[in-house]
Amino acid sequence: MTINAGPMGHRPEATRPESTLLGRCLAGEASAFAIIRREQEPTLDVLVGDIVEVDRLADIPLDGREVLALVPFRQVRERGFDALDDGAPLRCLVVRERQEIEVERALELLPGHPPAVADLAVDLDDDAYADVVRRVIDEEIGRGEGANFVIRREFTGVTDASPAAAATAWFRALLEFERGAYWTFAFVSPGLAAVGATPERHVSSLDGVVSMNPISGTFRHVDGAPGADELDAFLADVKEREELVMVVDEELKMMSAVCPDGGRIRGPFLKRMSRLTHTEYLLEGRSDLDPREVLRLTMFAPTVTGSPMGNACAVIARRETTPRGYYAGVLARFTPTARGYDLDAPILIRTAYVGDAGHVRVPVGATLVRHSSPEAEVAETHAKAAGVLTAIGALPRQATPGAPTIEPVDAEHPRLADRNAGLAAFWRTPQGGARAPRATALLVDAGDDFTTMLAHQLRHLGVAARIVAWSDAPLEPAEDLVVFGPGPGDPRAMTEPRISRLHQLVAARLASGLPMLAVCLSHQVLARTAGLAIAPLPAPHQGVQLTVDLFGDPRVVGFYNTFAAYDAGHRVTPRHDLEVAADPVSGAVHGLRGARVASMQGHLESVLSLDGLAVLERLVDDVLADASAEVGASLSA
């Protein structure tokens, strides 16, 4: 479907002497246009073109022209994930004209008085949203469905202005009143306009370098700049620190799927905005994939969904009563280059939407983790909405406009530097080339994309790993090693097809006597198969770093589990004679090992696992050496 952009002709041009492109848009000469200011740049881009609606990311028309795509959250179904469907279209602005304009000049042209927004309301009041927070913590995180989840609420209002008039006026207000945004933008199309100041790049692919920019941890300072002591307390807060590390792990899963060499971590940094300060990391890697495929494999940011991604989308579909529209999707800019296309895609957050009927929506969400306070999460949603609601005139302004120049983010703080001491060096430093393959492995995905990171580490250790979904895994694979991966859920839930199949696959591999490893959920399945009891932990270990004794070897490992196997005093398991490594106080089982079999409760692939790669190498060497020794003995007999 193509919607013409207005009576402007089809000859591409950079400028017209009689007027600016922005001025012509403001005069109503284009029905489809966008205005974009990237972080710290002294100019903004004005794009005019035609609207084309497509069904899939792969259908975005990259035929040599620049394209700006408004990607709805429902598009996550392309990855096989759940999403409530409101029919929001994947709407592409195929650019015919483009012009740069100085920010100062743009401010002279843009409307100076934002249209009024009346009847401000919210779909879930504070008490109702707090109740949802409690239930997600107790019933979703508490049941082992995941480590964190983002649940949204929406502030609404009405305006008499047209979408174009509202969006351009609000865009000016955001330029004046907000700072620290990755993109400040207005996207105007027939029937819908979006305007926002989003702090977060989801993904970019520039000359083959893929970057992701997870931002998590939120310090509210609605009434002014924070004091040094307040900022220090925020950076020391365990909940805020764990929240960021969990989304880094989740986005490293995506980087490992997109980039053959995985992703490297840079940071952490502080990102200051007008009413909020965030903590962030930058992840980088290289990829030759089509940028549309890069975007598909990374839908969508865990900072606006949760982790693991599949279960996060299922929880959102259960807990949110209406579809998300474009909230948590992306505004993806595809720019032609000599080598193909570059991609730059910020997340659609801190954004207002307005349609022809004048209905205004400002969706916001909070990241819920095991430490979350319902009252604090309610306050966080108010603070996140405040910048946009103030810019559009729905809340009173408390300060005079500052200079439109965006200040750079803070790069260093004493407490920030301390954080990297607790992160695995494997993900923070160049890795060099992978070893030559010495064995093959089948990696069974049990419902968590941590398998992509695990596969990347195995390849680094010289094990050629391929990933297969639990539903497609064979009982008798041809690979030298089978690695059963992590996943959400209760390992005792035998009526669930995924759990039942995992038990069947683990039992078959045990019976074969061939090499196997099991991680997290699969470790619990192995423990249950070997006769140990499974029970919930007193408190979930989601994103927790622990020092554990693995068969006499203390190691620092990251944990993402709500359930655990318990040894009940057994030094070996009642069945299959597996040696048990367990906590001496709680009895929680950290690992199992036997002839050609080993397992680990912690996530050796996690950025929290300082010793993860060393432990993985030891386990792989042990189970493969056992198999080699047996083959050698049989040949010499």
Side-chain angles (χ1 to χ4, degrees):
M1 173 183 176
T2 301
I3 304 171
N4 289 330
M8 300 180 60
H10 294 277
R11 181 174 61 86
E13 57 183 16
T15 186
R16 287 184 176 179
E18 69 272 20
S19 66
T20 65
L21 190 56
L22 176 58
R24 289 158 49 206
C25 292
L26 296 173
E29 295 183 35
S31 62
F33 63 92
I35 317 169
I36 299 168
R37 186 193 184 183
R38 293 189 77 250
E39 187 173 26
Q40 302 184 50
E41 291 187 353
T43 60
L44 52 81
D45 292 334
V46 182
L47 311 176
V48 171
D50 300 316
I51 293 294
V52 176
E53 293 179 356
V54 298
D55 291 330
R56 300 177 305 142
L57 293 173
D59 298 328
I60 294 172
L62 302 188
D63 57 5
R65 295 173 292 177
E66 185 172 10
V67 177
L68 183 66
L70 189 68
V71 182
F73 183 76
R74 67 191 285 264
Q75 219 63 36
V76 78
R77 296 178 304 164
E78 287 195 42
R79 292 192 63 193
F81 299 153
D82 293 340
L84 299 178
D85 189 2
D86 54 359
L90 201 174
R91 182 166 283 192
C92 303
L93 177 69
V94 181
V95 177
R96 289 188 286 105
E97 297 183 76
R98 176 183 182 275
Q99 186 182 65
E100 287 187 5
I101 183 172
E102 296 287 334
V103 171
E104 295 286 357
R105 174 62 176 145
L107 289 171
E108 294 174 0
L109 296 173
L110 289 162
H113 300 287
V117 175
D119 301 334
L120 184 64
V122 65
D123 60 346
L124 286 176
D125 65 28
D126 288 355
D127 289 341
Y129 188 76
D131 184 59
V132 172
V133 172
R134 291 187 190 94
R135 286 189 281 119
V136 168
I137 295 169
D138 293 342
E139 300 170 16
E140 305 291 0
I141 297 174
R143 278 205 314 252
E145 294 302 313
N148 56 86
F149 302 105
V150 180
I151 302 298
R152 96 186 191 288
R153 63 197 304 216
E154 289 193 354
F155 294 83
T156 61
V158 294
T159 182
D160 293 333
S162 69
T168 52
W170 295 340
F171 174 76
R172 176 194 170 120
L174 286 169
L175 284 178
E176 291 185 312
F177 284 90
E178 189 53 274
R179 68 173 184 175
Y182 180 65
W183 274 26
T184 305
F185 68 91
F187 182 100
V188 176
S189 63
L192 176 70
V195 57
T198 174
E200 186 169 354
R201 164 177 38 192
H202 172 49
V203 66
S204 63
S205 179
L206 307 176
D207 196 26
V209 176
V210 174
S211 302
M212 300 184 76
N213 187 200
I215 295 176
S216 197
T218 301
F219 178 37
R220 302 182 298 276
H221 43 85
V222 175
D223 297 324
D229 291 344
E230 295 173 301
L231 183 60
D232 193 66
F234 159 68
L235 293 173
D237 187 273
V238 172
K239 182 260 185 187
E240 302 291 353
R241 185 173 66 249
E242 289 183 354
E243 185 178 310
L244 178 60
V245 170
M246 283 190 276
V247 297
V248 168
D249 257 338
E250 192 68 25
E251 294 202 2
L252 278 172
K253 300 175 189 179
M254 296 175 176
M255 293 291 289
S256 294
V258 168
C259 303
D261 294 328
R264 303 277 68 70
I265 299 173
R266 288 175 50 201
F269 308 103
L270 284 179
K271 178 176 282 290
R272 294 182 186 271
M273 303 192 75
S274 62
R275 295 167 179 252
L276 302 169
T277 294
H278 300 289
T279 45
E280 64 179 350
Y281 275 95
L282 178 65
L283 314 181
E284 292 180 335
R286 296 198 65 87
S287 177
D288 293 326
L289 289 176
D290 183 302
R292 293 167 294 192
E293 182 65 2
V294 170
L295 184 54
R296 188 188 72 82
L297 290 173
T298 61
M299 289 194 298
F300 280 115
T303 52
V304 285
T305 52
S307 62
M309 184 64 63
N311 260 35
C313 290
V315 169
I316 289 167
R318 284 200 297 269
R319 298 295 181 176
E320 295 183 359
T321 58
T322 57
R324 286 190 160 194
Y326 294 96
Y327 171 74
V330 297
L331 189 57
R333 187 176 185 177
F334 298 88
T335 306
T337 69
R339 65 185 300 276
Y341 270 86
D342 281 345
L343 164 69
D344 192 12
I347 303 173
L348 286 167
I349 52 177
R350 319 291 164 82
T351 298
Y353 303 89
V354 58
D356 283 342
H359 181 63
V360 180
R361 298 171 45 246
V362 179
V364 294
T367 300
L368 313 183
V369 298
R370 62 192 179 93
H371 291 307
S372 285
S373 155
E375 294 73 23
E377 303 301 351
V378 167
E380 182 168 317
T381 60
H382 281 284
K384 286 178 175 177
V388 175
L389 292 174
T390 299
I392 68 176
L395 292 178
R397 293 175 178 170
Q398 299 178 345
T400 57
T405 302
I406 296 176
E407 298 180 15
V409 299
D410 297 319
E412 296 182 1
H413 186 282
R415 283 199 179 272
L416 284 177
D418 293 343
R419 290 188 175 190
N420 284 341
L423 302 184
F426 180 80
W427 299 109
R428 292 190 289 111
T429 56
Q431 299 169 3
R435 300 179 191 174
R438 59 190 172 108
T440 59
L442 181 73
L443 182 46
V444 178
D445 184 345
D448 191 326
D449 285 343
F450 261 128
T451 49
T452 61
M453 294 170 68
L454 193 54
H456 178 59
Q457 287 193 324
L458 287 168
R459 293 171 190 137
H460 183 78
L461 295 174
V463 178
R466 71 180 181 97
I467 300 172
V468 64
W470 61 268
S471 54
D472 299 325
L475 289 175
E476 298 180 0
E479 283 80 1
D480 302 317
L481 171 67
V482 175
V483 180
F484 296 98
D490 184 343
R492 304 167 301 179
M494 296 299 290
T495 57
E496 183 186 338
R498 177 173 56 93
I499 299 298
S500 176
R501 180 61 176 172
L502 280 175
H503 277 82
Q504 185 181 19
L505 291 167
V506 167
R509 190 65 178 183
L510 270 175
S512 74
L514 296 172
M516 64 174 284
L517 295 176
V519 178
C520 196
L521 173 68
S522 295
H523 154 84
Q524 296 163 14
V525 170
L526 173 65
R528 191 167 186 265
T529 301
L532 298 181
I534 307 293
L537 291 164
H541 283 169
Q542 297 291 351
V544 175
Q545 187 181 66
L546 300 174
T547 300
V548 296
D549 188 330
L550 296 177
F551 309 106
D553 187 13
R555 292 292 186 172
V556 179
V557 178
F559 285 75
Y560 284 86
N561 62 304
T562 297
F563 294 87
Y566 288 89
D567 66 355
H570 296 291
R571 301 192 61 171
V572 297
T573 58
R575 297 190 291 271
H576 302 291
D577 295 327
L578 303 180
E579 184 182 357
V580 176
D583 183 89
V585 177
S586 68
V589 177
H590 302 312
L592 299 170
R593 68 179 181 183
R596 295 171 297 283
V597 57
S599 70
M600 180 70 204
Q601 176 60 72
H603 285 255
L604 303 178
E605 70 283 4
S606 168
V607 71
L608 286 168
S609 292
L610 293 181
D611 299 315
L613 186 66
V615 174
L616 179 63
E617 183 172 27
R618 171 184 161 190
L619 295 179
V620 168
D621 288 347
D622 286 350
V623 296
L624 291 179
D626 286 346
S628 298
E630 182 174 290
V631 170
S634 65
L635 290 175
S636 62

